[in-house]
Amino acid sequence: MSKILLAEDDNDMRRFLVKALQNAGYEVVSFDNGLSAYNRLREEPFELLLTDIVMPEMDGIELARRATELDPDIKVMFITGFAAVALNPDSQAPKDAKVLSKPFHLRELVSEVEKLLAA
């Protein structure tokens, strides 16, 4: 079973995402900010980092950058209402990160996660 680390500061969105991913068979650990998520990444490996971009304490791009420093094999997917920010080449976001723009359907999320983990 693949382990996913989710960082999303919107409580309702985080609950929906956790439930959808768990129903699809994934083990999900979630946090409401990037700093807490990063601290957990330092303790154990995850196959996928699923993160919002705009969050308090540490944004998703910084979290993804640090996550790939810790584990170059971790896959990264951004979920955001600000896709242009993620795609900015100056952002230092991991080059092969996937961006899923809000709003999206939970089936779409699960499908994209499956594709990314299979790649």
Side-chain angles (χ1 to χ4, degrees), residues 47-61:
E47 281 75 31
L48 173 67
L49 169 62
L50 181 61
T51 181
D52 192 8
I53 291 179
V54 180
M55 291 185 297
E57 296 187 53
M58 180 188 296
D59 69 29
I61 292 173

Side-chain angles (χ1 to χ4, degrees), residues 10 13 15 18 26-27 30-31 41 43 45-46 67 78 83 88 97:
D10 179 296
M13 174 66 94
R15 273 197 302 275
V18 167
Y26 296 104
E27 182 181 334
S30 66
F31 292 94
L41 271 173
E43 295 171 8
F46 288 84
F78 294 112
N88 179 343

Side-chain angles (χ1 to χ4, degrees), residues 27-110:
E27 182 181 334
V28 184
V29 178
S30 66
F31 292 94
D32 64 359
N33 68 75
L35 187 57
S36 297
Y38 175 69
N39 288 334
R40 183 62 178 266
L41 271 173
R42 291 172 48 195
E43 295 171 8
E44 68 178 296
F46 288 84
E47 281 75 31
L48 173 67
L49 169 62
L50 181 61
T51 181
D52 192 8
I53 291 179
V54 180
M55 291 185 297
E57 296 187 53
M58 180 188 296
D59 69 29
I61 292 173
E62 178 70 10
L63 172 59
R65 195 180 59 69
R66 290 187 183 192
T68 55
E69 285 174 1
L70 285 174
D71 178 3
D73 295 328
I74 193 169
K75 307 248 198 274
V76 177
M77 183 184 295
F78 294 112
I79 44 177
T80 184
F82 306 97
V85 175
L87 300 174
N88 179 343
D90 301 329
S91 69
Q92 296 185 325
K95 286 179 279 309
D96 49 358
K98 171 85 180 128
V99 179
L100 193 59
S101 296
K102 296 175 188 174
F104 53 81
H105 195 282
L106 292 177
R107 276 194 305 258
E108 182 184 3
L109 168 74
V110 170

